[in-house]
Amino acid sequence: MRRNNRLIVNLFGVVVVLLLAAIAVLAVTDSHKGLTLFSANLQHRVSYAYLLKSVTDPAKASSATVEPGGRGYEDGAANVVTSIVVDYRMLDTFGEVLVLFAAAAGVGLLITERKRVVERDASVVVKTAVPIVMLFAIIVGAYIVLHGHLTPGGGFPGGAIIASGFILQFLAFREGPGRTMFKVIESLAGLAILAVGLIGLFVDGSFFANFLPTGTLGATISAGTVIIIYLLIGIKVAAELAAISGDFIGGERRIGG
């Protein structure tokens, strides 16, 4: 039985790697207009008119037009909410990240005693379904994280969806990636977010300044540091929520039955 479980885990890992690789290829393979299969259709976005205010040159704002595949916008994010959350008000978002870190640290400090409870193993149906659901959770979460600058979504919701996959694994099998690993990943992601802010301060004189080229408006690879920050937030949120859940679930003693 254990051998079959290892085979399922290995096959699951191969499928995840292949799907993520396919998403990465489609994301970086631009057409002649700079847009990919996953690019945003700007004319169907609420931000279409608002982007007129986001041109770099204020003198041209009154006569500017939103041009799919165009350049010269403040941060290059087609999603205006993303512009606000991860650019104009990034200090607030960084504070929210610190609050989540404090919550994770508090849970780790408070859970000092392990309760012993009698449990039953999950059914075969649950153990069979969880890897499939986990696969979809990771893929959908990764998509939402990587496209937060184009469509509704971003690091927080995408990270939560990814974490839900690992939580299901903990609940079904009472085992999974080590909680210490999640905490290390979370810490490194937090330091990386801080590093991006410091680089912006050094390069452009403003903490969390968007110091990278904004790229082509509406393209998958665009918005400068916005996509990088959302990626790091997604990793941090996923690792934190998974670690918190692992602290709760992993603290129980399993007694087969």
Side-chain angles (χ1 to χ4, degrees):
M1 185 67 180
R2 186 176 298 274
R3 184 176 181 181
N4 292 334
N5 288 339
R6 289 181 179 178
L7 178 60
I8 293 175
V9 170
N10 291 336
L11 291 176
F12 173 76
V14 171
V15 173
V16 170
V17 171
L18 291 177
L19 289 176
L20 290 177
I23 291 177
V25 171
L26 291 172
V28 301
T29 306
D30 288 346
S31 64
H32 64 283
K33 293 184 178 179
L35 306 178
T36 71
L37 179 63
F38 297 120
S39 297
N41 186 340
L42 299 181
Q43 295 181 352
H44 294 166
R45 298 285 180 265
V46 178
S47 59
Y48 183 80
Y50 183 86
L51 284 170
L52 297 178
K53 302 178 183 180
S54 297
V55 292
T56 304
D57 187 357
K60 297 180 180 179
S62 59
S63 59
T65 57
V66 180
E67 183 180 342
R71 297 175 179 271
Y73 297 90
E74 283 180 356
D75 58 14
N79 185 2
V80 175
V81 175
T82 296
S83 299
I84 296 172
V85 174
V86 196
D87 194 349
Y88 305 138
R89 298 180 65 85
M90 180 56 200
L91 282 176
D92 290 348
T93 301
F94 187 61
E96 295 172 3
V97 171
L98 293 179
V99 169
L100 187 57
F101 168 76
V107 169
L109 290 174
L110 291 175
I111 299 182
T112 56
E113 296 183 0
R114 304 302 187 184
K115 297 181 179 180
R116 297 183 178 182
V117 297
V118 178
E119 296 181 352
R120 294 183 180 275
D121 288 335
S123 67
V124 176
V125 174
V126 173
K127 289 185 176 181
T128 303
V130 163
I132 300 174
V133 176
M134 184 181 178
L135 171 63
F136 280 100
I138 293 176
I139 298 301
V140 172
Y143 177 89
I144 292 176
V145 169
L146 295 174
H147 291 77
H149 60 298
L150 301 177
T151 60
F156 285 101
I161 293 174
I162 293 174
S164 68
F166 291 103
I167 293 172
L168 288 175
Q169 183 186 25
F170 287 142
L171 290 172
F173 299 100
R174 298 293 167 182
E175 61 183 11
R179 285 167 285 161
T180 302
M181 183 194 72
F182 281 123
K183 293 175 181 178
V184 170
I185 293 175
E186 176 271 327
S187 300
L188 293 177
L191 291 175
I193 294 173
L194 179 61
V196 172
L198 293 175
I199 293 174
L201 179 63
F202 177 77
V203 174
D204 204 15
S206 178
F207 196 47
F208 283 113
N210 196 339
F211 57 88
L212 294 177
T214 59
T216 301
L217 184 66
T220 306
I221 306 300
S222 60
T225 59
V226 170
I227 187 174
I228 296 176
I229 291 174
Y230 253 162
L231 176 61
L232 294 173
I233 290 177
I235 295 173
K236 183 174 176 63
V237 169
E240 279 175 336
L241 295 180
I244 291 175
S245 302
D247 284 334
F248 282 112
I249 301 171
E252 299 172 345
R253 180 184 176 188
R254 180 167 65 94
I255 300 178

